[in-house]
Amino acid sequence: VDEALLGTPTGTIFGAGATIAVDGAHPDYTAKYTLAGTETEGTVPFTLDFTDATGNVAVQVTAITSGSNVTFDMTAPETTAVTIASDNADTTKAKVNDIVTISFTVDEALLATPTATIDGNSATVAGTHPNYTAAYTMQALDTEGTLAFTVDFSDATGNSATQVTAVTSGSGVVFDETKPTATVTIASNNTDPTQAKTGDEITVSFTVDEALL
């Protein structure tokens, strides 16, 4: 303030019901308030009132004279789209050395680069707001089956998103590192199927244990 005051100034942040701690001495003062989470999101409103030593009441202060206002945000960021795919010929399947990529879009600016895992392994995250990817190259001994994943991030204010663990569209990716096997028999159309002569037809019959490429 620009002159000595009659008493300690008073202040509110988010309304008269706010608990304000005012400290300092002429000419510098601060008014502090701890957010409870029940306030209205948006630009933080405040008031400051004070009276000079003569008794003249200042015009109530409700705006800053320099710098930027403070915006209150307690809403956690969210993903608006999440998919996962492999670079396999069938993007819903992956084998060792295939690259599995999570693609996701967030609804607001982030505090830092998101983090992600695929099958519990750290994924490499790339991109900028609002579109990101997280990629991992499948390794031997990774867990076979539908791949679990996680994506974590916080908005620019520091609100943490609920961890993302599911796609919003499409299907998951199944990791398979087990080589297919076959049950095989061979027979001739000879009277004795274990024997063959010129002109006989030999047939190899085999049954595989999983769908083929």
Side-chain angles (χ1 to χ4, degrees), residues 11-31:
T12 68
I13 297 175
F14 277 114
T19 301
I20 304 297
V22 179
D23 55 32
H26 175 270
D28 300 317
Y29 297 84
T30 61

Side-chain angles (χ1 to χ4, degrees), residues 1-2 11 14-15 29 31-32 41 56 74 80 94 110 114 120 127 142 146 155 160 165 172 178 189 200 205:
V1 293
D2 61 352
F14 277 114
Y29 297 84
K32 300 178 181 179
E41 292 185 298
N56 297 301
M74 62 180 176
T80 56
L110 301 185
D142 283 338
T146 301
D155 67 17
S160 297
T165 59
T178 302
N189 66 348
D200 285 347
S205 300

Side-chain angles (χ1 to χ4, degrees), residues 139-163:
Q139 305 293 312
L141 303 181
D142 283 338
T143 307
E144 291 191 297
T146 301
L147 291 172
F149 69 87
T150 64
V151 176
D152 293 281
F153 54 93
S154 298
D155 67 17
T157 305
N159 297 302
S160 297
T162 299
Q163 187 176 72

Side-chain angles (χ1 to χ4, degrees), residues 14 21 33 46 58 61 63 65 92 107 113 154 172 177 179 212:
F14 277 114
Y33 171 71
F46 67 90
V61 177
T65 57
T92 66
D107 64 349
T113 301
S154 298
E177 64 176 342
K179 291 179 172 56
L212 303 182

Side-chain angles (χ1 to χ4, degrees), residues 101-184:
T101 301
I102 305 163
S103 299
F104 58 100
T105 302
V106 297
D107 64 349
E108 57 180 302
L110 301 185
L111 184 62
T113 301
T115 59
T117 67
I118 296 176
D119 190 37
N121 303 292
S122 180
T124 301
V125 177
T128 56
H129 173 264
N131 300 310
Y132 296 87
T133 60
Y136 172 71
T137 302
M138 301 306 301
Q139 305 293 312
L141 303 181
D142 283 338
T143 307
E144 291 191 297
T146 301
L147 291 172
F149 69 87
T150 64
V151 176
D152 293 281
F153 54 93
S154 298
D155 67 17
T157 305
N159 297 302
S160 297
T162 299
Q163 187 176 72
V164 177
T165 59
V167 296
T168 58
S169 62
S171 63
V173 171
V174 176
F175 176 57
D176 175 14
E177 64 176 342
T178 302
K179 291 179 172 56
T181 60
T183 302
V184 185

